Structures are given as C-alpha cells and as structure tokens.
Coordinates of all heavy atoms in Angstrom, one line a residue:
A2 N -39.2 -22.5 9.6 CA -38.3 -22.1 10.6 C -38.8 -21.0 11.5 O -39.5 -20.1 11.0 CB -36.9 -21.7 10.0
S3 N -38.5 -21.0 12.7 CA -39.0 -20.0 13.6 C -38.3 -18.7 13.5 O -37.2 -18.6 12.8 CB -38.9 -20.5 15.1 OG -37.6 -20.5 15.5
H4 N -38.9 -17.6 14.0 CA -38.3 -16.3 13.9 C -36.9 -16.3 14.6 O -35.9 -15.7 14.0 CB -39.2 -15.3 14.6 CG -38.6 -13.9 14.6 ND1 -38.6 -13.2 13.4 CD2 -38.2 -13.1 15.6 CE1 -38.0 -12.0 13.7 NE2 -37.8 -11.9 15.0
S5 N -36.7 -17.0 15.7 CA -35.4 -17.0 16.4 C -34.4 -17.8 15.6 O -33.2 -17.5 15.6 CB -35.5 -17.6 17.8 OG -35.9 -18.9 17.8
Q6 N -34.8 -18.8 14.9 CA -33.9 -19.6 14.0 C -33.4 -18.7 12.8 O -32.3 -18.8 12.5 CB -34.5 -20.9 13.5 CG -34.7 -21.9 14.6 CD -35.5 -23.1 14.1 OE1 -36.5 -23.0 13.3 NE2 -35.2 -24.3 14.5
K7 N -34.3 -17.9 12.3 CA -34.0 -17.0 11.2 C -33.0 -16.0 11.7 O -32.0 -15.7 11.0 CB -35.2 -16.4 10.6 CG -36.1 -17.3 9.8 CD -37.3 -16.6 9.3 CE -38.2 -17.6 8.6 NZ -39.5 -16.9 8.1
R8 N -33.2 -15.4 12.8 CA -32.3 -14.4 13.4 C -30.9 -15.0 13.6 O -29.9 -14.4 13.4 CB -32.9 -13.8 14.7 CG -34.1 -12.9 14.5 CD -34.7 -12.5 15.9 NE -33.7 -12.0 16.8 CZ -33.5 -10.7 16.9 NH1 -34.1 -9.8 16.2 NH2 -32.6 -10.2 17.8
R9 N -30.9 -16.2 14.2 CA -29.6 -16.9 14.4 C -28.9 -17.2 13.1 O -27.7 -17.0 13.0 CB -29.9 -18.2 15.2 CG -28.6 -18.9 15.5 CD -28.9 -20.2 16.2 NE -27.7 -21.0 16.3 CZ -27.2 -21.5 17.4 NH1 -27.9 -21.4 18.6 NH2 -26.1 -22.2 17.4
A10 N -29.6 -17.6 12.1 CA -29.0 -17.8 10.8 C -28.4 -16.5 10.2 O -27.3 -16.5 9.7 CB -30.0 -18.5 9.8
I11 N -29.1 -15.5 10.3 CA -28.7 -14.2 9.8 C -27.4 -13.7 10.5 O -26.4 -13.3 10.0 CB -29.8 -13.1 9.9 CG1 -30.9 -13.4 8.9 CG2 -29.2 -11.7 9.6 CD1 -32.2 -12.6 9.1
L12 N -27.4 -13.9 11.9 CA -26.3 -13.6 12.7 C -25.0 -14.4 12.3 O -23.9 -13.9 12.1 CB -26.6 -13.8 14.2 CG -25.4 -13.6 15.1 CD1 -24.9 -12.1 15.1 CD2 -25.8 -13.9 16.6
Q13 N -25.2 -15.7 12.1 CA -24.1 -16.6 11.7 C -23.5 -16.2 10.4 O -22.3 -16.2 10.2 CB -24.6 -18.0 11.7 CG -24.8 -18.6 13.1 CD -25.4 -20.0 13.1 OE1 -26.0 -20.4 12.1 NE2 -25.2 -20.7 14.2
I14 N -24.4 -15.9 9.4 CA -23.9 -15.5 8.1 C -23.2 -14.2 8.1 O -22.1 -14.0 7.5 CB -25.1 -15.5 7.1 CG1 -25.7 -16.9 6.8 CG2 -24.7 -14.8 5.8 CD1 -27.0 -16.9 6.2
S15 N -23.7 -13.3 8.9 CA -23.2 -11.9 9.0 C -21.8 -11.9 9.7 O -20.9 -11.1 9.4 CB -24.1 -11.0 9.7 OG -25.3 -10.8 9.0
I16 N -21.6 -12.8 10.7 CA -20.4 -12.7 11.5 C -19.3 -13.6 10.8 O -18.1 -13.5 11.1 CB -20.7 -13.2 13.0 CG1 -19.5 -12.8 13.9 CG2 -20.9 -14.7 13.1 CD1 -19.4 -11.3 14.1
A17 N -19.7 -14.5 10.0 CA -18.7 -15.5 9.4 C -17.6 -14.8 8.7 O -16.4 -15.2 8.9 CB -19.4 -16.4 8.4
G18 N -17.8 -13.9 7.8 CA -16.7 -13.2 7.1 C -15.8 -12.4 8.1 O -14.6 -12.4 7.9
I19 N -16.5 -11.7 9.0 CA -15.8 -10.9 10.0 C -14.8 -11.8 10.8 O -13.6 -11.5 11.0 CB -16.7 -10.1 10.9 CG1 -17.5 -9.1 10.1 CG2 -16.0 -9.5 12.1 CD1 -18.8 -8.6 10.8
L20 N -15.3 -12.9 11.3 CA -14.5 -13.8 12.1 C -13.4 -14.4 11.2 O -12.3 -14.7 11.7 CB -15.4 -14.9 12.7 CG -16.3 -14.5 13.9 CD1 -17.0 -15.6 14.4 CD2 -15.5 -13.8 15.0
T21 N -13.7 -14.7 10.0 CA -12.6 -15.2 9.1 C -11.5 -14.2 9.0 O -10.3 -14.6 9.1 CB -13.2 -15.5 7.7 OG1 -14.2 -16.5 7.8 CG2 -12.1 -16.0 6.7
N22 N -11.8 -12.9 8.8 CA -10.8 -11.9 8.7 C -10.0 -11.8 10.0 O -8.8 -11.6 10.0 CB -11.4 -10.5 8.4 CG -11.9 -10.4 7.0 OD1 -13.0 -10.1 6.8 ND2 -11.1 -10.8 6.0
I23 N -10.7 -11.9 11.2 CA -10.0 -11.8 12.5 C -9.1 -13.0 12.7 O -7.9 -12.9 13.1 CB -11.0 -11.8 13.6 CG1 -11.8 -10.4 13.6 CG2 -10.4 -12.0 15.0 CD1 -13.0 -10.3 14.5
V24 N -9.6 -14.2 12.3 CA -8.7 -15.4 12.5 C -7.5 -15.3 11.5 O -6.4 -15.6 12.0 CB -9.5 -16.7 12.2 CG1 -8.6 -17.9 12.1 CG2 -10.6 -16.9 13.4
L25 N -7.7 -15.0 10.3 CA -6.6 -14.8 9.4 C -5.6 -13.8 9.8 O -4.4 -14.0 9.7 CB -7.1 -14.5 8.0 CG -7.7 -15.7 7.1 CD1 -8.4 -15.1 5.9 CD2 -6.7 -16.7 6.8
G26 N -6.1 -12.7 10.4 CA -5.3 -11.7 10.9 C -4.4 -12.2 12.0 O -3.2 -11.9 12.0
F27 N -4.9 -13.0 12.9 CA -4.1 -13.5 14.0 C -3.1 -14.6 13.5 O -2.0 -14.7 14.0 CB -5.0 -14.0 15.1 CG -5.4 -12.9 16.1 CD1 -6.7 -12.5 16.0 CD2 -4.5 -12.3 16.9 CE1 -7.1 -11.4 16.9 CE2 -4.9 -11.3 17.8 CZ -6.2 -10.8 17.8
V28 N -3.6 -15.4 12.5 CA -2.6 -16.4 11.9 C -1.4 -15.7 11.3 O -0.3 -16.0 11.5 CB -3.4 -17.2 10.9 CG1 -2.4 -18.1 10.0 CG2 -4.4 -18.2 11.6
F29 N -1.7 -14.6 10.5 CA -0.6 -13.8 9.9 C 0.2 -13.2 11.0 O 1.5 -13.1 10.9 CB -1.1 -12.7 9.0 CG -1.5 -13.3 7.6 CD1 -2.8 -13.2 7.1 CD2 -0.5 -13.8 6.8 CE1 -3.1 -13.7 5.8 CE2 -0.8 -14.2 5.5 CZ -2.1 -14.2 5.0
L30 N -0.4 -12.8 12.1 CA 0.4 -12.2 13.2 C 1.3 -13.2 13.8 O 2.5 -12.9 14.2 CB -0.6 -11.7 14.2 CG -0.2 -10.6 15.2 CD1 0.3 -9.4 14.4 CD2 -1.3 -10.3 16.1
I31 N 0.9 -14.5 13.9 CA 1.7 -15.5 14.5 C 2.9 -15.7 13.5 O 4.1 -15.8 13.9 CB 0.9 -16.8 14.6 CG1 -0.1 -16.7 15.8 CG2 1.9 -18.0 14.9 CD1 -1.1 -17.8 15.9
F32 N 2.6 -15.8 12.2 CA 3.7 -15.9 11.2 C 4.7 -14.7 11.3 O 5.9 -14.9 11.3 CB 3.2 -15.9 9.8 CG 2.5 -17.2 9.4 CD1 1.7 -17.3 8.3 CD2 2.5 -18.3 10.2 CE1 1.0 -18.4 7.9 CE2 1.9 -19.5 9.9 CZ 1.1 -19.5 8.7
L33 N 4.1 -13.5 11.5 CA 5.0 -12.3 11.7 C 5.9 -12.5 12.9 O 7.1 -12.2 12.8 CB 4.0 -11.1 11.8 CG 4.7 -9.7 11.9 CD1 5.5 -9.4 10.6 CD2 3.6 -8.7 12.1
K34 N 5.3 -12.9 14.0 CA 6.1 -13.0 15.2 C 7.2 -14.1 15.1 O 8.3 -14.0 15.6 CB 5.1 -13.4 16.4 CG 5.8 -13.5 17.7 CD 6.1 -12.1 18.2 CE 6.6 -12.2 19.6 NZ 7.2 -10.9 20.1
L35 N 6.9 -15.1 14.3 CA 7.9 -16.2 14.0 C 8.9 -15.8 12.9 O 9.8 -16.5 12.7 CB 7.2 -17.5 13.6 CG 6.3 -18.1 14.7 CD1 5.5 -19.3 14.1 CD2 7.1 -18.6 15.9
G36 N 8.7 -14.7 12.3 CA 9.6 -14.2 11.3 C 9.4 -14.9 9.9 O 10.3 -14.9 9.1
I37 N 8.3 -15.5 9.7 CA 8.0 -16.2 8.5 C 7.4 -15.3 7.5 O 6.3 -14.7 7.7 CB 7.0 -17.4 8.8 CG1 7.6 -18.4 9.8 CG2 6.7 -18.1 7.5 CD1 6.7 -19.4 10.3
L38 N 8.1 -15.1 6.3 CA 7.6 -14.2 5.3 C 7.1 -12.9 5.9 O 6.0 -12.5 5.8 CB 6.5 -14.9 4.5 CG 6.8 -16.2 3.8 CD1 5.6 -16.8 3.2 CD2 7.8 -15.9 2.7
Y39 N 8.1 -12.2 6.5 CA 7.7 -11.0 7.3 C 6.8 -10.0 6.6 O 5.8 -9.6 7.1 CB 9.0 -10.3 7.7 CG 8.8 -9.2 8.7 CD1 8.8 -9.5 10.1 CD2 8.7 -7.9 8.3 CE1 8.5 -8.5 11.0 CE2 8.4 -6.9 9.2 CZ 8.4 -7.2 10.5 OH 8.1 -6.2 11.4
T40 N 7.2 -9.5 5.4 CA 6.4 -8.5 4.7 C 5.0 -9.0 4.4 O 4.0 -8.3 4.6 CB 7.1 -8.0 3.5 OG1 8.4 -7.5 3.9 CG2 6.3 -6.9 2.8
L41 N 4.9 -10.2 3.8 CA 3.6 -10.8 3.5 C 2.8 -11.0 4.7 O 1.6 -10.7 4.7 CB 3.8 -12.1 2.8 CG 2.6 -12.9 2.4 CD1 1.8 -12.1 1.4 CD2 2.9 -14.3 1.9
S42 N 3.4 -11.4 5.8 CA 2.6 -11.7 7.1 C 2.1 -10.3 7.6 O 1.0 -10.3 8.1 CB 3.5 -12.4 8.1 OG 3.9 -13.6 7.6
Y43 N 3.0 -9.3 7.6 CA 2.5 -8.0 8.1 C 1.3 -7.5 7.3 O 0.3 -7.1 7.9 CB 3.7 -7.0 8.0 CG 3.3 -5.6 8.5 CD1 3.2 -5.3 9.9 CD2 2.8 -4.6 7.6 CE1 2.8 -4.1 10.3 CE2 2.4 -3.4 8.0 CZ 2.4 -3.1 9.4 OH 2.0 -1.9 9.8
Y44 N 1.5 -7.5 6.0 CA 0.4 -6.9 5.2 C -0.9 -7.9 5.2 O -2.0 -7.4 5.2 CB 0.8 -6.7 3.7 CG 1.7 -5.5 3.7 CD1 3.0 -5.5 3.4 CD2 1.1 -4.2 3.9 CE1 3.8 -4.4 3.3 CE2 1.9 -3.1 3.9 CZ 3.2 -3.2 3.6 OH 4.0 -2.0 3.5
G45 N -0.7 -9.1 5.4 CA -1.8 -10.1 5.5 C -2.6 -9.8 6.8 O -3.8 -9.7 6.8
A46 N -1.9 -9.5 7.9 CA -2.5 -9.2 9.1 C -3.2 -7.9 9.1 O -4.3 -7.7 9.5 CB -1.5 -9.2 10.3
Y47 N -2.5 -6.9 8.4 CA -3.0 -5.5 8.3 C -4.3 -5.5 7.5 O -5.3 -4.9 7.9 CB -1.9 -4.6 7.8 CG -2.3 -3.2 7.7 CD1 -2.3 -2.4 8.9 CD2 -2.7 -2.6 6.5 CE1 -2.7 -1.1 8.8 CE2 -3.0 -1.2 6.4 CZ -3.0 -0.5 7.6 OH -3.3 0.8 7.5
V48 N -4.3 -6.1 6.3 CA -5.4 -6.1 5.4 C -6.6 -6.8 6.1 O -7.8 -6.3 6.0 CB -5.1 -6.7 4.1 CG1 -6.4 -7.0 3.3 CG2 -4.2 -5.8 3.3
N49 N -6.4 -7.9 6.8 CA -7.5 -8.6 7.4 C -8.0 -7.8 8.6 O -9.2 -7.8 8.8 CB -7.1 -10.0 7.8 CG -7.2 -11.0 6.7 OD1 -8.3 -11.3 6.3 ND2 -6.0 -11.3 6.1
A50 N -7.2 -7.1 9.3 CA -7.7 -6.2 10.4 C -8.5 -5.1 9.8 O -9.6 -4.8 10.4 CB -6.5 -5.6 11.2
I51 N -8.1 -4.5 8.7 CA -8.9 -3.4 8.1 C -10.3 -4.0 7.6 O -11.3 -3.3 7.8 CB -8.1 -2.8 6.9 CG1 -7.0 -1.9 7.5 CG2 -9.1 -2.0 6.0 CD1 -6.1 -1.4 6.4
L52 N -10.3 -5.1 7.0 CA -11.5 -5.7 6.5 C -12.5 -6.0 7.6 O -13.7 -5.7 7.5 CB -11.2 -6.9 5.6 CG -10.6 -6.7 4.3 CD1 -10.2 -8.0 3.6 CD2 -11.5 -6.0 3.4
A53 N -11.9 -6.6 8.7 CA -12.8 -6.9 9.8 C -13.3 -5.6 10.4 O -14.5 -5.5 10.7 CB -12.0 -7.7 10.9
G54 N -12.5 -4.6 10.6 CA -12.9 -3.4 11.2 C -14.0 -2.7 10.3 O -15.0 -2.2 10.8
F55 N -13.7 -2.6 9.0 CA -14.7 -2.0 8.1 C -16.0 -2.7 8.2 O -17.1 -2.1 8.2 CB -14.2 -2.0 6.7 CG -15.1 -1.4 5.7 CD1 -15.2 0.0 5.6 CD2 -15.9 -2.2 4.9 CE1 -16.1 0.6 4.7 CE2 -16.8 -1.6 4.0 CZ -16.9 -0.2 3.9
N56 N -16.0 -4.1 8.1 CA -17.3 -4.8 8.1 C -18.0 -4.8 9.4 O -19.2 -5.1 9.5 CB -17.0 -6.3 7.7 CG -16.8 -6.4 6.2 OD1 -17.6 -5.9 5.4 ND2 -15.8 -7.1 5.8
L57 N -17.3 -4.3 10.5 CA -18.0 -4.2 11.8 C -18.6 -2.9 12.0 O -19.3 -2.6 13.0 CB -16.9 -4.5 12.9 CG -16.7 -5.9 13.2 CD1 -15.4 -6.1 14.0 CD2 -17.8 -6.5 13.9
I58 N -18.5 -1.9 11.0 CA -19.1 -0.7 11.2 C -20.6 -0.9 11.3 O -21.2 -1.5 10.4 CB -18.8 0.3 10.0 CG1 -17.3 0.6 9.9 CG2 -19.6 1.5 10.0 CD1 -16.9 1.3 8.7
P59 N -21.2 -0.4 12.4 CA -22.7 -0.7 12.6 C -23.6 0.3 11.9 O -24.3 1.0 12.5 CB -22.8 -0.7 14.1 CG -21.8 0.3 14.5 CD -20.7 0.2 13.6
F60 N -23.5 0.3 10.5 CA -24.3 1.2 9.7 C -24.8 0.6 8.4 O -24.0 -0.2 7.8 CB -23.4 2.4 9.4 CG -24.1 3.5 8.6 CD1 -25.0 4.4 9.2 CD2 -23.8 3.7 7.3 CE1 -25.6 5.3 8.5 CE2 -24.4 4.6 6.5 CZ -25.3 5.5 7.1
G61 N -26.0 1.0 8.1 CA -26.5 0.6 6.8 C -26.5 -0.9 6.5 O -26.8 -1.7 7.4
P62 N -26.1 -1.3 5.3 CA -26.2 -2.7 4.9 C -25.0 -3.5 5.3 O -24.9 -4.7 5.0 CB -26.2 -2.6 3.4 CG -25.4 -1.4 3.0 CD -25.7 -0.4 4.2
L63 N -24.0 -2.9 6.0 CA -22.8 -3.7 6.4 C -23.2 -4.8 7.4 O -24.1 -4.6 8.2 CB -21.8 -2.7 7.0 CG -21.2 -1.7 6.0 CD1 -20.3 -0.7 6.8 CD2 -20.5 -2.4 4.9
D64 N -22.4 -5.8 7.4 CA -22.6 -6.9 8.4 C -22.6 -6.4 9.8 O -23.3 -7.0 10.7 CB -21.6 -8.0 8.1 CG -21.9 -8.8 6.9 OD1 -23.1 -8.9 6.4 OD2 -20.9 -9.4 6.3
G65 N -21.8 -5.5 10.1 CA -21.7 -4.9 11.5 C -23.0 -4.4 12.0 O -23.3 -4.6 13.2
A66 N -23.8 -3.8 11.2 CA -25.1 -3.4 11.6 C -26.0 -4.5 12.0 O -26.8 -4.5 13.0 CB -25.8 -2.5 10.5
K67 N -26.0 -5.6 11.2 CA -26.8 -6.8 11.5 C -26.4 -7.4 12.8 O -27.2 -7.8 13.6 CB -26.8 -7.8 10.3 CG -27.3 -7.3 9.0 CD -27.1 -8.3 7.9 CE -27.2 -7.6 6.6 NZ -26.7 -8.4 5.5
V68 N -25.1 -7.6 12.9 CA -24.5 -8.3 14.1 C -24.8 -7.4 15.3 O -25.3 -7.9 16.4 CB -23.0 -8.5 14.0 CG1 -22.4 -9.0 15.3 CG2 -22.7 -9.4 12.8
F69 N -24.6 -6.1 15.2 CA -24.9 -5.2 16.4 C -26.4 -5.2 16.8 O -26.7 -5.3 18.0 CB -24.5 -3.8 16.0 CG -24.6 -2.8 17.2 CD1 -23.6 -2.8 18.1 CD2 -25.7 -2.0 17.3 CE1 -23.7 -1.9 19.2 CE2 -25.8 -1.1 18.4 CZ -24.8 -1.1 19.3
R70 N -27.2 -5.3 15.8 CA -28.7 -5.3 16.1 C -29.1 -6.6 16.7 O -29.9 -6.7 17.6 CB -29.5 -5.0 14.8 CG -30.9 -4.8 15.0 CD -31.7 -4.5 13.7 NE -31.5 -5.4 12.6 CZ -30.7 -5.2 11.5 NH1 -30.1 -4.1 11.4 NH2 -30.6 -6.1 10.6
L71 N -28.6 -7.7 16.2 CA -29.0 -9.1 16.6 C -28.3 -9.5 17.9 O -28.9 -10.2 18.7 CB -28.7 -10.1 15.5 CG -29.5 -9.9 14.2 CD1 -29.0 -10.8 13.1 CD2 -31.0 -10.2 14.5
N72 N -27.0 -9.1 18.1 CA -26.3 -9.5 19.3 C -25.2 -8.5 19.6 O -24.1 -8.8 19.2 CB -25.8 -11.0 19.1 CG -25.4 -11.6 20.5 OD1 -24.9 -10.9 21.4 ND2 -25.5 -12.9 20.6
P73 N -25.5 -7.5 20.4 CA -24.5 -6.5 20.7 C -23.2 -7.1 21.4 O -22.1 -6.6 21.2 CB -25.2 -5.5 21.6 CG -26.6 -5.7 21.3 CD -26.8 -7.1 20.9
K74 N -23.4 -8.1 22.1 CA -22.2 -8.7 22.8 C -21.3 -9.4 21.8 O -20.1 -9.2 22.0 CB -22.7 -9.8 23.8 CG -23.4 -9.2 25.0 CD -23.8 -10.3 26.0 CE -24.6 -9.6 27.1 NZ -25.1 -10.6 28.1
V75 N -21.8 -10.1 20.8 CA -21.0 -10.7 19.8 C -20.2 -9.6 19.0 O -19.1 -9.7 18.7 CB -21.8 -11.6 18.9 CG1 -21.0 -12.0 17.6 CG2 -22.3 -12.8 19.6
W76 N -21.0 -8.5 18.7 CA -20.4 -7.4 18.0 C -19.2 -6.8 18.8 O -18.1 -6.5 18.3 CB -21.4 -6.3 17.7 CG -20.8 -5.2 16.9 CD1 -20.8 -5.1 15.6 CD2 -20.2 -4.0 17.4 NE1 -20.2 -3.9 15.2 CE2 -19.8 -3.2 16.3 CE3 -19.9 -3.5 18.7 CZ2 -19.2 -2.0 16.5 CZ3 -19.3 -2.3 18.9 CH2 -18.9 -1.5 17.7
T77 N -19.4 -6.6 20.1 CA -18.4 -6.0 21.0 C -17.2 -6.8 21.1 O -16.0 -6.3 21.0 CB -19.0 -5.8 22.4 OG1 -20.2 -4.9 22.3 CG2 -18.0 -5.1 23.3
V78 N -17.3 -8.2 21.2 CA -16.2 -9.1 21.3 C -15.4 -9.0 20.0 O -14.2 -9.0 19.9 CB -16.6 -10.5 21.7 CG1 -15.5 -11.5 21.5 CG2 -17.1 -10.5 23.1
S79 N -16.2 -9.1 18.9 CA -15.5 -9.1 17.5 C -14.8 -7.8 17.3 O -13.7 -7.8 16.8 CB -16.6 -9.2 16.4 OG -17.3 -10.5 16.6
F80 N -15.4 -6.7 17.7 CA -14.8 -5.3 17.5 C -13.5 -5.3 18.4 O -12.5 -4.8 17.9 CB -15.7 -4.2 17.9 CG -15.2 -2.9 17.7 CD1 -15.1 -2.4 16.4 CD2 -14.7 -2.1 18.7 CE1 -14.6 -1.1 16.1 CE2 -14.2 -0.8 18.5 CZ -14.1 -0.3 17.2
A81 N -13.5 -5.8 19.6 CA -12.4 -5.8 20.5 C -11.2 -6.6 19.9 O -10.1 -6.2 19.9 CB -12.7 -6.3 21.9
L82 N -11.6 -7.8 19.3 CA -10.5 -8.6 18.6 C -9.9 -7.9 17.4 O -8.7 -7.9 17.3 CB -11.1 -9.9 18.2 CG -11.5 -10.9 19.4 CD1 -12.3 -12.1 18.9 CD2 -10.2 -11.4 20.0
A83 N -10.8 -7.3 16.6 CA -10.3 -6.6 15.4 C -9.4 -5.4 15.9 O -8.3 -5.2 15.3 CB -11.4 -6.1 14.6
L84 N -9.8 -4.7 16.9 CA -9.0 -3.5 17.4 C -7.7 -4.0 18.0 O -6.7 -3.3 17.8 CB -9.9 -2.8 18.4 CG -9.5 -1.4 18.8 CD1 -9.5 -0.5 17.5 CD2 -10.4 -0.8 19.8
S85 N -7.7 -5.1 18.6 CA -6.5 -5.7 19.2 C -5.5 -6.0 18.1 O -4.3 -5.8 18.3 CB -6.7 -6.9 20.1 OG -7.2 -8.0 19.3
L86 N -5.9 -6.4 16.9 CA -5.0 -6.7 15.8 C -4.3 -5.4 15.5 O -3.0 -5.4 15.3 CB -5.8 -7.2 14.6 CG -6.0 -8.7 14.5 CD1 -6.9 -8.9 13.3 CD2 -4.7 -9.4 14.3
F87 N -5.0 -4.3 15.4 CA -4.3 -3.0 15.1 C -3.3 -2.6 16.1 O -2.2 -2.1 15.8 CB -5.4 -1.9 14.9 CG -6.1 -1.9 13.7 CD1 -7.5 -2.2 13.6 CD2 -5.5 -1.6 12.5 CE1 -8.2 -2.2 12.4 CE2 -6.2 -1.6 11.3 CZ -7.5 -1.9 11.3
F88 N -3.7 -2.8 17.4 CA -2.8 -2.4 18.5 C -1.5 -3.3 18.5 O -0.4 -2.8 18.6 CB -3.4 -2.5 19.8 CG -4.4 -1.3 20.1 CD1 -5.7 -1.5 20.4 CD2 -3.9 0.0 20.0 CE1 -6.5 -0.5 20.7 CE2 -4.8 1.1 20.2 CZ -6.1 0.8 20.6
I89 N -1.7 -4.6 18.3 CA -0.5 -5.5 18.2 C 0.4 -5.1 17.0 O 1.6 -5.1 17.1 CB -1.0 -6.9 18.2 CG1 -1.7 -7.3 19.5 CG2 0.2 -7.9 17.9 CD1 -2.4 -8.6 19.5
L90 N -0.3 -4.9 15.9 CA 0.5 -4.5 14.6 C 1.3 -3.2 14.8 O 2.3 -3.0 14.2 CB -0.4 -4.4 13.4 CG -0.9 -5.8 12.9 CD1 -2.0 -5.6 11.8 CD2 0.3 -6.5 12.2
S91 N 0.8 -2.3 15.6 CA 1.5 -1.0 15.8 C 2.8 -1.2 16.5 O 3.6 -0.3 16.5 CB 0.6 -0.1 16.6 OG 0.4 -0.5 17.9
N92 N 3.1 -2.4 17.1 CA 4.3 -2.7 17.7 C 5.3 -3.3 16.8 O 6.5 -3.6 17.2 CB 4.1 -3.6 18.9 CG 3.4 -2.9 20.0 OD1 3.6 -1.7 20.3 ND2 2.5 -3.6 20.7
F93 N 5.0 -3.5 15.5 CA 5.9 -4.1 14.6 C 6.4 -3.1 13.6 O 5.9 -2.1 13.3 CB 5.2 -5.2 13.8 CG 5.1 -6.5 14.5 CD1 3.9 -6.8 15.3 CD2 6.1 -7.4 14.5 CE1 3.8 -8.0 16.0 CE2 6.0 -8.6 15.3 CZ 4.9 -8.9 16.0

C-alpha cells in the first residue's frame, strides 16, 4: 500500500470512534427532544459528547492528535459537532 493509503487508513480508524460518539450523542439528543426515556437519553447524549470531546484532544496518543495531524479540516468539523452537542444539552 502506498503512503497516502496508509495515512487514509489511519485517519479512518482514528475518526471512527469519535464519529460513533458524535452520532450516538445526536441520536440520544433526538430521543431527548421527543421525550423518550428522558434521563437515559440525556445521560447517553452527555456521555457520548464527553467521550467525543476527550478523544478529540490533539495531544499524545489520543485519536485527536492523529486526526489533527492528518486532516485538520476533519478534526475541526468533528470538534464543532462535539461542541454543539454540549451547547444543545445545556438547554435541557
């Protein structure tokens, strides 16, 4: 595999967990808005927002450092989505 293919694979692996947390956070947010299992939905969204935010820290061995180094635009969009979860949750 070429160098660019390896970089792409590392980026995909590194962002997969972060995006999973972001998607789950928004799914729980939808449940929260619909009033479905309110407490579980709130904490589900909150925990996933924290996990995504933590994993996006661009330092050391964390996935955020790899994503930031390989594609700062992907990191910025992911960070904005994770941050938006916190802002939306602050209204509940």
Side-chain angles (χ1 to χ4, degrees):
S3 70
H4 181 68
S5 63
Q6 288 173 325
K7 288 179 185 176
R8 288 174 52 94
R9 182 180 169 131
I11 292 168
L12 177 63
Q13 289 173 337
I14 291 165
S15 298
I16 198 68
I19 296 167
L20 289 180
T21 300
N22 290 127
I23 291 170
V24 169
L25 283 172
F27 279 106
V28 167
F29 279 117
L30 203 58
I31 291 167
F32 289 165
L33 183 62
K34 187 72 176 166
L35 294 174
I37 299 170
L38 300 171
Y39 187 87
T40 302
L41 178 66
S42 297
Y43 178 83
Y44 286 111
Y47 184 75
V48 166
N49 278 285
I51 287 174
L52 289 171
F55 180 79
N56 282 314
L57 279 163
I58 296 171
F60 180 75
L63 296 175
D64 287 332
K67 295 175 200 167
V68 174
F69 186 79
R70 187 175 58 253
L71 294 170
N72 195 328
K74 289 179 184 177
V75 169
W76 184 90
T77 302
V78 170
S79 302
F80 185 77
L82 288 170
L84 198 58
S85 68
L86 274 173
F87 282 110
F88 285 125
I89 294 168
L90 283 169
S91 68
N92 292 324
F93 282 93

